[in-house]
Amino acid sequence: MSSTSSITDVAALARVSKATVSRVLSGRRTKDDNIAKRVRDAAEQLNYQANSAASALRSDTTNTIGLIMPGPTDPLAARLLAELEPEVNRSGRQLLLGLGDDQRTQTERIEAMLARRVDGLVVMPPQDANTAAFLDDYIGMTSLVQAFGHSTSFHVNWVGVDESASMKLMLSHLAEYNANSIAFLSGNVNSASAAELFATLQTSTRVMNLMTEPGWTTFGDNSAKRGYHDVMRLFGDKGNRPNALICATDDVAIGALMALNQLGIRVPDEVKVIGSGDSPAAAIADPPLSSILPPCRLIAHEALRLISVSASSKHWLPAHTAYPPQLVQRESTSGPRFGSSDMALPDDESRKLDVGALSGTNIARKAWITRLSAFRGG
């Protein structure tokens, strides 16, 4: 067999990932099992030899950090990038970016980053990915941190949002403005984050003397179209109706606002609506949308700290750090409180948005009109 065989050829023949081949042949995978035997046999059959000189270079720093994330249209990913890039620059390093909306593509991007010998990797996995299934393969190859999502690995550092605190914050805010019956337009039913939010909703509504009904929680994709159609169903029935909606994302919430407007239901007087993500679209919705603001600056800072710590010392257990979010209050929830003459909207300071995120507001407004017009008629 030709000596030009690659690590990809060995991985295909051994039926393992390229990361596993690298770990076995470099000696980083010490377990001598059937997987290791298959890798060694495949390498021998293909006459493949790992480049020991290149492996030795992995101990040298390259002053580069890799960020693997979904596409740039994902508002949360864009916000993380905006916070992480200046943090990396301030540390005297460069940020390399890899985009992937699914687990297979992200795996390819990670291996490309490892080939460039990055000093560390921050991975924002695709929604509902089994992170242990593909991130654990890279333990020991570089300093690795998962940002956002739900941690399913016992080996990878994780930093993200406290989902339980998010739900409690939204419920407290709605109760403060006299909402007492809550619907939840959740993310996908198989999402660990959705499960945590739903569990907190169930326990917290009982503690706070709020009401929810099984039919008021829906699961689905995080699109405006889904939010629109779910609200048309919820409020088209003549039974009990909620007077508040908690939405998994701002996209879902904006679809909900459009449906409520079409049904002639006033927001926030009759129904209050909260989104999540505080995307640029939240500020230009009609009415402007209250939303959960993820602490991306804290997450970016902690991710880089964990990379530095992992590079300088080894720990038995990974770090799991969950930060509480903030609520950006706007007109979609800020109706007057009962028994109060306070009719004022939130003050200017509480409604401030990132200037960079809102540049091009007119373009964003036109984009939303285009995206939503396809289902506006129901």
Side-chain angles (χ1 to χ4, degrees):
M1 183 64 67
S2 169
S3 61
T4 59
S5 298
S6 69
I7 191 172
T8 302
D9 299 323
V10 177
L13 184 59
R15 303 188 305 280
V16 298
S17 70
K18 289 185 288 185
T20 299
V21 172
S22 177
R23 292 170 67 193
V24 170
L25 297 183
S26 67
R28 286 190 296 269
R29 191 180 191 277
T30 58
K31 189 175 182 180
D32 190 13
D33 55 8
N34 182 56
I35 293 176
K37 184 178 184 302
R38 292 206 315 265
V39 170
R40 289 194 294 268
D41 288 348
E44 182 178 356
Q45 181 177 338
L46 295 172
N47 194 26
Y48 173 81
Q49 292 183 332
N51 188 331
S52 58
S55 297
L57 285 175
R58 291 196 182 278
S59 62
D60 299 333
T61 59
T62 60
N63 291 321
T64 56
I65 300 294
L67 171 61
I68 309 295
M69 68 178 201
T73 58
D74 183 300
L76 187 58
R79 193 182 291 273
L80 177 62
L81 174 61
E83 295 292 352
L84 187 62
E85 198 273 337
E87 285 273 353
V88 172
N89 279 346
R90 281 193 290 271
S91 69
R93 292 173 286 190
Q94 291 183 322
L95 184 68
L96 305 181
L97 181 63
L99 303 179
D101 285 323
D102 56 73
Q103 187 168 311
R104 179 189 61 81
T105 305
Q106 286 206 354
T107 297
E108 294 174 355
R109 301 295 182 264
I110 290 172
E111 292 178 355
M113 293 285 186
L114 292 175
R116 299 190 66 161
R117 308 192 312 277
V118 293
D119 298 333
L121 270 175
V122 179
V123 180
M124 180 180 173
Q127 188 178 16
D128 306 330
N130 181 0
T131 52
F134 78 112
L135 292 186
D136 279 3
D137 275 344
Y138 305 106
I139 297 300
M141 300 182 73
T142 191
S143 299
L144 182 62
V145 177
Q146 177 188 336
F148 296 109
H150 190 79
S151 175
T152 58
S153 171
F154 295 101
H155 307 286
V156 177
N157 289 321
W158 176 88
V159 58
V161 179
D162 186 334
E163 302 286 10
S164 180
S166 296
M167 178 59 73
K168 291 176 181 177
L169 178 62
M170 289 185 283
L171 290 173
S172 296
H173 175 72
L174 291 171
E176 181 183 1
Y177 282 89
N178 311 309
N180 55 22
S181 52
I182 315 296
F184 178 33
L185 307 190
S186 173
N188 289 322
V189 68
N190 61 342
S191 163
S193 296
E196 184 175 355
L197 288 167
F198 177 69
T200 305
L201 171 74
Q202 296 299 309
T203 56
S204 296
T205 48
R206 289 193 292 269
V207 170
M208 300 173 65
N209 200 29
L210 302 174
M211 180 182 71
T212 188
E213 294 186 3
W216 291 354
T217 295
T218 67
F219 297 91
D221 64 83
N222 291 325
S223 67
K225 183 174 183 178
R226 175 273 176 116
Y228 175 89
H229 287 299
D230 277 6
V231 168
M232 291 298 287
R233 287 194 298 271
L234 278 174
F235 289 86
D237 297 336
K238 294 185 178 180
N240 290 335
R241 293 178 174 180
N243 56 23
L245 293 174
I246 293 176
C247 301
T249 66
D250 289 345
D251 282 10
V252 174
I254 288 172
L257 290 176
M258 291 189 65
L260 292 169
N261 179 65
Q262 184 168 324
L263 292 168
I265 298 173
R266 294 172 297 160
V267 178
D269 298 336
E270 296 177 84
V271 177
K272 304 183 192 306
V273 181
I274 292 183
S276 183
D278 194 37
S279 65
I284 61 174
D286 185 19
L289 180 66
S290 294
S291 184
I292 288 292
L293 173 65
C296 287
R297 181 168 299 177
L298 291 174
I299 289 170
H301 181 81
E302 178 65 5
L304 288 183
R305 188 192 72 82
L306 289 172
I307 284 175
S308 299
V309 169
S310 298
S312 61
S313 61
K314 300 298 180 184
H315 297 270
W316 287 104
L317 294 173
H320 281 204
T321 307
Y323 289 105
Q326 293 178 304
L327 182 113
V328 179
Q329 181 180 336
R330 300 188 181 93
E331 286 89 330
S332 70
T333 60
S334 60
R337 300 178 181 85
F338 291 149
S340 170
S341 61
D342 179 11
M343 300 287 287
L345 296 177
D347 58 49
D348 290 339
E349 187 64 29
S350 67
R351 298 172 58 198
K352 280 184 179 177
L353 294 175
D354 177 47
V355 174
L358 283 179
S359 61
T361 295
N362 290 334
I363 297 174
R365 185 186 299 274
K366 291 178 182 178
W368 273 104
I369 292 172
T370 301
R371 289 174 61 186
L372 300 179
S373 61
F375 61 90
R376 183 165 182 167

